[in-house]
Amino acid sequence: WRQEKDTDQTSLESKLEALQCHFTWDLDPSKSIWLGHIYNLRGFVQYKLGFTEDAQSFFNKAAEAFSKIRNADEGPWLVVNYGNLAWLHHHLGDQAESQAYLSKVDALMNKYPSPSQDELHPEIYAEKAWTLMKFSREQKIRAADYFQRAIRMQPDMVEWNTSYVLGLVGSFRQNKKLKADVLEKMRMAKEQDPENLYLAVHYLHQCVQNGERIEEEARELARKVLKNPVSSYSGIKPLLKVYSYYVSIDEAIDLIEEALKTHPDERYLKRCAALCYKWKILYFSDSRPKPSVIDRAISLHEEVIALYPDSFLMKKIELANIYAKLNYGQAEAEQIYQELLESDLEPADKQMLYNNYAIHLHLHCRDYQRSIQYHMKVAAIPHQFSHRWNSITTLKKIRDRGRSHMCREIEEFLENLIKYTLCELTNPCFVCLLCFGGNYTRHSCILHVVS
Ligand SMILES: *[C@@H]1O[C@H](CO)[C@@H](O)[C@H](O)[C@H]1NC(C)=O
């Protein structure tokens, strides 16, 4: 009897492994996606956080939302949802319930087979693609492929086309000009999906980078976005960026203050406002910023630090950088940095902090030697983040310029970096030229960076 039960268990597990759902998609949620707002993803995230009851309730909400949106009680879109529920019950130890959901998945797959024999149902591809888009850069590339498959089989879904295009744009480096064909895809998607302001704002950003004048369109778009600015999909954040850089930073500030007037307690809008004030002080103030601007910037940052514990570190660094930019603020800036340097951080966070501190030492303290030392600390952490790329590039530049008395030390350091850290970088690093070129294979990336 015992053996039979074990066999049952094994076959249940192998069936679970074969499911298409969040539990099998190899997702590694990092802090940045906690806002993911489709219920299936939220359910999964809640599960990962250890809140199984919430997970269950989000999965149920997902099913409810689908039935409202699709105007039907069931359909192939529930395959993923039931898959998640099968996994959840399995993890909770309720194997019978898990088995029941597996049977439901089977029934759905029989009732709604994929139009293409050796491919998944387009609904599954689309959800998988949408989900992967929220994760790493590498997974964004896979997402584009899944969207294309879904669209090929079912071309009439406006939102799939929109998301595909947004994913495509998002997988490029920021501020990079898009190729003509991608821009054309974007234009077509915008025409098909005029209600999507998020897409419209991103399109506008591309137009302005191609030298078009956009002030009028930006203002019109702003009026629409302001009607419902609250979520991160409203387009307000990219709009503020476009405004700041291509219309005027003061108008961007007026815009976000107006949004805050109607939604004074929305933390997302406060975060956007803090961003605008930061830009104003760090990048757009030739002369001394007005005291009222400084006060507002500092108080917004302090609020945002309290409201977003997850991005505490980044916001503290930004606050330090704001202080550093002000004539009287050096001591405050240094104090914040010292507190952070003494705190206990993960390698990736350490890397970000050291990189910012190195830049701060160079820019505001003219302490070039310590700046170089901190850039080395960044580079020595074999984590694959853009800060490492920044620090290594900076060190290379200093070495090549040949004016620092630490040139030899830097040279030696970079050589050792090749010798001793190569073996740890078995995954794409996303920092070297090869990776930036879109060649996401395993390779010894440091070579490309330092050679
Ligand atoms: C989506 O894109 C495909 C391929 O580009 C196109 O054939 C289709 O008409 C588009 N669908 C919608 C609804 O815009």
Side-chain angles (χ1 to χ4, degrees):
W1 179 80
R2 174 93 209 209
Q3 203 178 354
E4 205 166 283
K5 185 139 193 230
D6 281 352
T7 325
D8 273 1
Q9 182 79 13
T10 321
S11 83
L12 173 72
E13 269 167 26
S14 62
K15 280 182 193 159
L16 285 167
E17 288 295 341
L19 286 175
Q20 284 294 334
C21 65
H22 291 67
F23 287 81
T24 62
W25 287 344
D26 193 19
L27 304 174
D28 174 22
S30 65
K31 282 181 248 166
S32 58
I33 60 124
W34 292 157
L35 294 174
H37 80 170
I38 279 205
Y39 294 129
N40 266 335
L41 179 57
R42 272 205 68 184
F44 177 69
V45 167
Q46 295 293 354
Y47 166 76
K48 282 279 178 183
L49 288 170
F51 303 120
T52 44
E53 267 174 40
D54 290 350
Q56 165 111 39
S57 114
F58 277 115
F59 289 145
N60 293 342
K61 274 192 192 160
E64 212 176 290
F66 273 130
S67 83
K68 277 197 190 131
I69 295 165
R70 302 294 165 93
N71 230 337
D73 280 343
E74 66 153 55
W77 51 83
L78 284 180
V79 169
V80 173
N81 184 245
Y82 289 169
N84 284 337
L85 284 160
W87 268 101
L88 183 66
H89 288 294
H90 172 62
H91 282 315
L92 294 175
D94 190 346
Q95 308 307 348
E97 195 64 12
S98 179
Q99 188 64 57
Y101 275 107
L102 277 172
S103 310
K104 284 187 181 195
V105 170
D106 276 345
L108 278 179
M109 305 259 271
N110 285 331
K111 197 163 168 192
Y112 308 97
S114 166
S116 163
Q117 216 175 29
D118 39 47
E119 289 192 290
L120 299 174
H121 196 284
E123 291 278 359
I124 299 176
Y125 276 137
E127 180 156 6
K128 189 167 185 173
W130 185 91
T131 307
L132 292 182
M133 254 170 58
K134 305 281 169 285
F135 289 80
S136 70
R137 218 182 147 102
E138 199 185 15
Q139 278 166 320
K140 282 194 177 119
I141 312 257
R142 282 168 57 211
D145 175 50
Y146 291 137
F147 266 131
Q148 276 175 310
R149 289 165 190 241
I151 292 166
R152 215 183 300 128
M153 287 186 269
Q154 205 171 313
D156 60 338
M157 299 290 278
V158 175
E159 61 268 43
W160 294 358
N161 279 15
T162 299
S163 293
Y164 164 62
V165 167
L166 284 173
L168 215 54
V169 176
S171 67
F172 292 107
R173 244 188 325 156
Q174 271 199 336
N175 293 334
K176 197 179 144 193
K177 259 202 213 173
L178 297 180
K179 291 213 185 90
D181 61 322
V182 180
L183 197 63
E184 178 58 17
K185 276 186 187 160
M186 213 174 172
R187 195 192 57 75
M188 274 163 52
K190 186 179 102 95
E191 232 163 57
Q192 296 291 334
D193 194 359
E195 301 292 302
N196 192 317
L197 302 178
Y198 189 82
L199 176 65
V201 173
H202 277 280
Y203 184 69
L204 198 66
H205 192 194
Q206 287 305 320
C207 292
V208 73
Q209 282 177 295
N210 284 332
E212 286 175 40
R213 293 190 62 96
I214 49 109
E215 282 92 337
E216 268 321 297
E217 246 187 294
R219 293 198 176 98
E220 200 187 316
L221 208 47
R223 275 191 292 277
K224 289 186 194 159
V225 171
L226 272 186
K227 282 188 193 143
N228 186 11
V230 170
S231 94
S232 57
Y233 289 92
S234 68
I236 184 109
K237 196 166 152 197
L239 182 68
L240 290 169
K241 190 169 173 188
V242 170
Y243 252 77
S244 306
Y245 285 84
Y246 305 104
V247 182
S248 96
I249 179 69
D250 291 324
E251 277 191 53
I253 287 180
D254 291 345
L255 192 70
I256 188 66
E257 289 288 10
E258 201 179 325
L260 270 171
K261 241 181 241 151
T262 37
H263 306 272
D265 297 321
E266 281 300 334
R267 67 171 193 164
Y268 181 68
L269 295 181
K270 284 185 187 168
R271 189 184 177 124
C272 291
L275 205 58
C276 287
Y277 280 93
K278 180 192 83 174
W279 289 334
K280 164 97 181 158
I281 292 177
L282 295 188
Y283 312 129
F284 292 100
S285 294
D286 312 330
S287 53
R288 225 187 279 171
K290 280 192 205 138
S292 61
V293 170
I294 296 170
D295 289 347
R296 183 82 173 128
I298 291 172
S299 72
L300 275 168
H301 273 80
E302 277 165 355
E303 266 189 275
V304 170
I305 287 167
L307 289 169
Y308 284 91
D310 274 353
S311 45
F312 164 87
L313 180 64
M314 191 64 234
K315 295 291 148 194
K316 273 272 188 187
I317 291 174
E318 284 171 5
L319 183 59
N321 291 343
I322 288 173
Y323 274 121
K325 179 87 183 198
L326 307 174
N327 286 338
Y328 63 85
Q330 289 307 326
E332 276 94 342
E334 193 58 33
Q335 196 189 336
I336 295 175
Y337 269 120
Q338 284 312 324
E339 268 170 35
L340 295 175
L341 287 166
E342 280 161 28
S343 60
D344 189 23
L345 300 171
E346 304 271 320
D349 286 343
K350 250 188 211 160
Q351 212 164 28
M352 172 169 80
L353 175 62
Y354 291 168
N355 176 254
N356 275 281
Y357 192 51
I359 294 169
H360 167 74
L361 287 170
H362 178 94
L363 222 58
H364 301 118
C365 311
R366 298 179 190 281
D367 187 344
Y368 304 121
Q369 184 168 339
R370 280 217 299 150
S371 172
I372 289 173
Q373 284 163 352
Y374 270 94
H375 277 306
M376 287 179 175
K377 278 175 183 253
V378 177
I381 300 174
H383 237 273
Q384 297 144 15
F385 286 91
S386 59
H387 303 292
R388 188 172 201 223
W389 177 78
N390 176 285
S391 282
I392 293 177
T393 311
T394 306
L395 289 171
K396 274 177 66 186
K397 271 193 204 142
I398 299 172
R399 176 197 66 184
D400 294 346
R401 234 184 270 130
R403 288 207 298 265
S404 163
H405 68 90
M406 289 178 75
C407 278
R408 261 187 57 93
E409 215 174 305
I410 295 174
E411 179 73 45
E412 246 170 59
F413 172 82
L414 291 176
E415 268 174 28
N416 280 337
L417 204 59
I418 301 178
K419 268 190 230 150
Y420 299 115
T421 52
L422 246 185
C423 52
E424 297 184 49
L425 289 164
T426 49
N427 287 318
C429 61
F430 305 110
V431 296
C432 73
L433 288 176
L434 259 188
C435 274
F436 271 144
N439 186 359
Y440 298 93
T441 47
R442 287 171 177 246
H443 59 269
S444 330
C445 66
I446 288 297
L447 274 179
H448 304 290
V449 179
V450 293
S451 60

